[in-house]
Amino acid sequence: MDSSSTMALRSSSSSFSSASAFSVSHCPNPKPGYVSVPFNFNLRNPQSSFMFFKSLKCIQSSTPDSNPMKSIHPKNASSPFACSAVTFSPSQTADLVSSKLHRLVSEFQSISEPVDRVKRLLHYATLLPPLDESARNDSNRVMGCTAQVWLQAQLDQYGKMRFAADSDSEITRGFCSCLVWVLDGAAPEEVLKVKTEDLAYLNVGVPARERSRVNTWHNVLVSMQKRTKALVAEREGKKPPFEPFPSLVVTADGIEAKGSYAEAQAKYLLPDEFKVKELVDVLKAKNIGVVAHFYMDPEVQGILTAAQKQWPHIYISDSLVMADAALKMAKAGCKFITVLGVDFMSENVRAILDQAGFVDVGVFRMSNERIGCSLADAAASPSYMNYLEAASMSPPSLHVIYINTSLDTKAYAHELVPTITCTSSNVVQTILQAFAQVPDLNIWYGPDSYMGANIKELFQQMSKMTDEEITEIHPGHSRETIRSLLPQLHYYQDGTCIVHHLFGHEVVEKINEMYCDAFLTAHLEVPGEMFSLAMEAKRRGMGVVGSTQNILDFINQRVQEALDRNVDDHLQFVLGTESGMVTAIVAAVRDLLGSRISPSGLAKIKVEIVFPVSSDSMTRTSSQSSVKLGDVILPVIPGVAGGEGCSIHGGCASCPYMKMNSLSSLLEVCYQLPDEKNVLIAYEAQRFKLKTPNGKSVADVGCEPILHMRHFQATKQLPEKLVYQIRHANGNGSSMSLS
């Protein structure tokens, strides 16, 4: 790199002479009348974009070679870095940002050895002027980077963006140096036009185990763009388009609630000790186990979470693990199991206990009314059975049914089409393994339409990966096999969870505008827009898409990483699933933050959980201006189907069915046990006495798809019995005998 090139890079990087002083231009005597307008640019075919460099007025490096794609050798090449604020006459307009980005891509791709590319990146790190210590503060931090990264942004008097950045890691400083060079001095619309996938072409040779550092490219870019939008809006005198979502901020010292919705969630995170003792005493006295779903009412979850420390037979989890936990409690001697969830969950617990021989252990629901589920109801409809009738006509076929369905649905389905259950955390691997074992298979997924569409989109994305990348996901597949399975994968078109259905356009728009640089979590059941947003965040290490347990594990991992770094940090997570998850999240985060020995000098970690609830969800009416939830009176009314904080505007975040499981119901059931006077008949999870169309027990046939999944989880293979059923189905609208 020659001296003039070095000077150019230093000039382009040096957007700030201090924390508060912004340089206006890196070219002498800039003329405001000159403009830069974009032209179409494609990184895959960029040769034409270089021609305009010959006419630049302010290039300090040597004149470009007549062959712009000629390899640049690291030891003797002129740097592609030039003046960052070049001015053009109207006849010389061009897309400078895209061209500079291409020159950067071309440079790194032309260096053959990975170690030399890293050396070049480290060299650029030395050219990035450090920020003043006063600018290295929390408000300037870029979230999600392995190292600490600080970013400053400002609009100059000519309407151009000025950027400066710094990091405590040399590799990360190299990334920042390159991004500042590309975007400093650009018009806001040019900054916003760059996409994170454009940076994928920058192969800088960082080893796979250091891929988290490569995410810095993306996270710093997203932060640059978010701040650009805010500065443009501020200059134009526009108010922020959205109010912030409610959130809970958790620290080692306590919990802070922001917004009335968050306050309602937070009220029970520190439960009443007398209520905890009351529950523990009755559970111990009568040897009662409790299994509860993550989506419980916050009061119930708060009490149960505290009671766990005094009574081991309390478990809060996703739907699949509830039955496993109940079985362990029965083996440990519990005489009764109380189930806090919807009815198919208590049905599953009853059936699993019966299968294991614990027929004398009582299983009880929390309501004398039906506790429904929109998703389970969709699978119990004639439309779903018609879907499976069609599937049975296309052998070989496998029905992959979501665990969140009733036992009789599983039984009836299994007699039509060989069936295996799945969860949101194992559905992708289940489908991949099924295709690996039976390549000519047709797979029929249901009933969640959003999950089905998202799974199909996942495989579409996989079909564009390399064979090596696909093998890391599943060793039995390649790009060819993924492409071949796509037309053989079908999903039901008319089944949704009412909670996840409401993570719609308006909520996604707000997340994209205000929380694009936060960690984004999303259940696999959310609609496509939310799914795509979360997948983009996942690709740059800032998100997770999966089950409730996957979401909890992701948050725990990020918090633990922050603790290990031991630097002041603020982690912000958008909770893209039911708000009941917050109790388990806050409990886990507080355990992590409280697990450290606390001498002075330890870093301060803030963990913020954001509830993506539409402001329109908080609705008043003239006839009802408040609603009582437990002991709390809120100035809102329940929204869709009775779930507080719900609305058709998006962001329901609360399942009305789950909220039928109240603390008072739990205590009432517990006090009545053992039910010698039969007052709890309506609360008892009934055994299935019905027969399937083939004359078999619904309980026996309905459990078989669950057992098939258990086998898959243990061995990573479909059981031989299921493969035999697939291969020997009649293909005439009914399956072979499943005995």
Side-chain angles (χ1 to χ4, degrees), residues 88-310:
F88 298 89
S89 68
S91 63
Q92 295 172 315
T93 57
D95 189 342
L96 185 57
V97 168
S98 294
S99 300
K100 290 167 75 175
L101 181 57
H102 170 72
R103 297 185 78 184
L104 196 62
V105 169
S106 179
E107 176 185 15
F108 278 106
Q109 289 185 344
S110 69
I111 303 173
S112 58
E113 293 298 324
V115 65
D116 290 328
R117 292 195 291 270
V118 174
K119 286 179 180 178
R120 178 62 61 90
L121 191 69
L122 292 173
H123 175 68
Y124 290 152
T126 67
L127 304 178
L128 183 69
L131 289 179
D132 285 354
E133 196 62 35
S134 61
R136 295 159 68 99
N137 54 50
D138 287 348
S139 64
N140 288 331
R141 282 285 297 276
V142 175
M143 205 177 305
C145 298
T146 302
Q148 293 188 89
V149 184
W150 299 270
L151 173 69
Q152 284 188 299
Q154 184 167 314
L155 268 172
D156 68 17
Q157 60 182 313
Y158 302 112
K160 303 295 185 181
M161 290 303 303
R162 319 305 311 188
F163 293 109
D166 204 351
S167 174
D168 60 356
S169 158
E170 287 304 301
I171 286 181
T172 302
R173 291 188 89 246
F175 290 144
C176 291
S177 180
C178 293
L179 280 172
V180 168
W181 174 75
V182 170
L183 295 176
D184 182 52
E189 60 270 18
E190 293 172 334
V191 175
L192 298 177
K193 190 173 62 175
V194 180
K195 300 182 182 302
T196 55
E197 50 262 36
D198 294 338
L199 305 180
Y201 299 99
L202 284 160
N203 180 4
V204 294
V206 177
R209 64 180 179 275
E210 295 289 342
R211 292 301 297 174
S212 60
R213 292 193 182 275
V214 179
N215 290 330
T216 300
W217 284 117
H218 304 147
N219 296 335
V220 176
L221 173 62
V222 168
S223 291
M224 285 176 158
Q225 292 175 330
K226 179 180 178 180
R227 298 181 196 196
T228 297
K229 291 178 184 178
L231 287 167
V232 170
E234 180 182 352
R235 171 164 289 192
E236 294 176 352
K238 295 179 180 178
K239 294 182 179 180
F242 303 104
E243 292 293 325
F245 285 129
S247 65
L248 289 174
V249 180
V250 185
T251 66
D253 299 325
I255 301 169
E256 176 190 0
K258 297 180 178 181
S260 59
Y261 189 87
E263 290 169 3
Q265 297 294 320
K267 181 176 178 64
Y268 297 114
L269 292 175
L270 300 175
D272 186 320
E273 293 182 6
F274 293 104
K275 291 183 178 180
V276 174
K277 184 179 185 304
E278 179 185 10
L279 178 61
V280 170
D281 287 347
V282 69
L283 294 177
K284 287 182 176 180
K286 302 191 176 184
N287 208 1
I288 301 170
V290 181
V291 292
H293 195 271
F294 280 131
Y295 293 172
M296 280 302 96
D297 178 85
E299 180 186 21
V300 178
Q301 284 219 48
I303 297 290
L304 290 177
T305 301
Q308 281 178 315
K309 299 175 183 178
Q310 303 176 47

Side-chain angles (χ1 to χ4, degrees), residues 542-712:
M542 292 294 292
V544 62
V545 178
S547 67
T548 48
Q549 188 62 52
N550 295 148
I551 290 171
L552 183 59
D553 291 344
F554 174 81
I555 294 174
N556 285 342
Q557 181 182 356
R558 293 297 177 266
V559 173
Q560 185 60 60
E561 289 170 356
L563 292 172
D564 293 342
R565 288 194 297 269
N566 197 31
V567 296
D568 291 354
D569 213 344
H570 178 192
L571 309 180
Q572 191 178 57
F573 298 91
V574 177
L575 185 60
T577 189
E578 219 271 2
S579 61
M581 272 293 293
V582 74
T583 308
I585 292 170
V586 170
V589 169
R590 294 192 74 198
D591 284 346
L592 286 172
L593 297 180
S595 65
R596 300 190 301 168
I597 303 173
S598 301
S600 60
L602 277 181
K604 296 179 181 179
I605 308 294
K606 291 182 180 180
V607 179
E608 184 174 9
I609 310 299
V610 177
F611 300 98
V613 181
S614 169
S615 59
D616 293 326
S617 301
M618 299 307 201
T619 308
R620 292 177 179 268
T621 68
S622 57
S623 61
Q624 184 178 5
S625 60
S626 64
V627 61
K628 187 173 183 180
L629 300 175
D631 297 328
V632 182
I633 296 178
L634 296 176
V636 297
I637 64 168
V640 176
E644 72 273 18
C646 298
S647 90
I648 59 173
H649 299 281
C652 170
S654 184
C655 176
Y657 301 113
M658 288 292 190
K659 301 309 179 280
M660 294 173 68
N661 296 269
S662 65
L663 178 62
S664 59
S665 295
L666 176 59
L667 289 171
E668 180 183 350
V669 169
C670 290
Y671 280 130
Q672 295 287 346
L673 292 174
D675 187 24
E676 297 173 351
K677 298 181 180 180
N678 292 327
V679 297
L680 296 178
I681 291 178
Y683 290 82
E684 191 169 357
Q686 298 296 317
R687 291 181 173 87
F688 284 90
K689 299 177 182 178
L690 298 176
K691 299 293 183 180
T692 68
N694 287 345
K696 298 183 178 298
S697 162
V698 164
D700 290 343
V701 179
C703 279
E704 188 165 312
I706 300 174
L707 297 176
H708 287 333
M709 183 183 69
R710 300 289 192 203
H711 184 281
F712 169 71

